[in-house]
Each structure stands twice: as C-alpha cells, then as structure tokens.
Amino acid sequence: MVIACSAYGCKNRQKTGSGLQFHRFPLKDPNLLERWVHEVKRMDWEPSKFSALCGEHFSADSYVSGAEIEGRHLKRGSVPTIFSFPVHKLQKSKRNARKRPRKRCLLEELPTATATDEDTPPCTKRLKRTKTIDELLQENAKLRNRIKVLMQTVSRRDKKIQTMSDLLTILRAGAFTGP
C-alpha cells in the first residue's frame, strides 16, 4: 500500500530511496491526535490507521537528535506545524466557532388548546410529541398479545417437528405398517 501525505495540497508519496519520512497519526494518544488534526485543518475528516503526514510538515526541532536516528523519529508530543494553506483555508474553522444558543420557549409561551398556528411561537414547532401513559399501555398490550401468538406458533411448530421425528424413527426401524 502506498502511503500518501494527508496534508491539504501535499502530493508527497512514499517512494523507495526518497529519504522522505512519513509519520502516522497518534491514534492511541487522543490529546496529541486532536492537536494534529487541528493543525491539518481538514473539515469533517478523521484520520484512519493508514493516515500519515510526511516529514516536510515537521520542523527540525521536532525530531530526536542522535547519530543513527537523527531525522527518523519524532520527539514525544511533536505536532506538525509547517503547512501551505490557501487563504480561504486559513479562516477560522467552524469547529472552533462559538455556537449560538438556541431560542427557548418559556412555559407561558406554550400554545393552549384554543391557539391557532398564527398564535403558536416558532420554537414550539420543534417540540416532539411524547406518548401518553394510555398510549404506552395500549402499545404494551398489543406487544404482549403478539408475543403470545408467536409463542403459540412456536409450540405448534415444535409439535409438528416431534411428530415427524417420531414418524422418521418408526420408518427407520421398519416397524411401519402402512395402509
């Protein structure tokens, strides 16, 4: 499977001998993962176990320094910081924008039995109707009746199976004396 960079506009792919490192998203560390996803700035996107970023998106100080491992391993907690986004992508994301509070109805605003649609405040149109106790009791009685009918059906089927099984046993034994 070819690993491709998940950053917006980045066309880097893993190629043998290219020397370009790819780093998978830290799926096991939710806090670090959230920071990585925030920096990538892709709307409605979640990384999979195959998602990765190329080394071009990490600064030099993000890597562990040492003779053999230099440039290959990220430091713990490193976050990608180098991206080239178009201007429209740099605007505030909708995820971080503060949501407007919903308009709520007061109990006094709820419509009465004589109110018309014109008198009804707009927020009551979103209210879901809940079932009354009587409706729930009726539904419960119907379901109990349905269960009873299904149990009878199963009982009849079991009797037929037993009868056929007994008949098969008799036929195998050769003790059948037919008409």
Side-chain angles (χ1 to χ4, degrees), residues 5 7-8 10 12 53-59 79-84:
C5 185
Y8 180 84
C10 187
N12 289 334
L53 291 175
C54 68
E56 291 182 1
H57 303 290
F58 295 89
S59 61
V79 178
T81 55
I82 304 170
F83 296 97
S84 56

Side-chain angles (χ1 to χ4, degrees), residues 45-111:
W45 178 79
E46 287 187 29
S48 70
K49 64 181 182 179
F50 304 108
S51 301
L53 291 175
C54 68
E56 291 182 1
H57 303 290
F58 295 89
S59 61
D61 62 343
S62 296
Y63 290 97
V64 174
S65 59
E68 288 185 16
I69 59 171
E70 189 168 338
R72 292 188 348 188
H73 295 286
L74 290 174
K75 289 181 183 175
R76 219 176 263 268
S78 294
V79 178
T81 55
I82 304 170
F83 296 97
S84 56
F85 295 111
V87 176
H88 72 278
K89 286 285 180 184
L90 293 176
Q91 295 171 352
K92 258 189 172 177
S93 68
K94 290 182 181 178
R95 286 184 191 169
N96 295 335
R98 184 173 176 223
K99 293 180 182 177
R100 284 186 171 182
R102 284 189 273 162
K103 184 177 179 181
R104 299 176 190 258
C105 292
L106 298 175
L107 288 176
E108 295 83 39
E109 293 178 356
L110 291 176

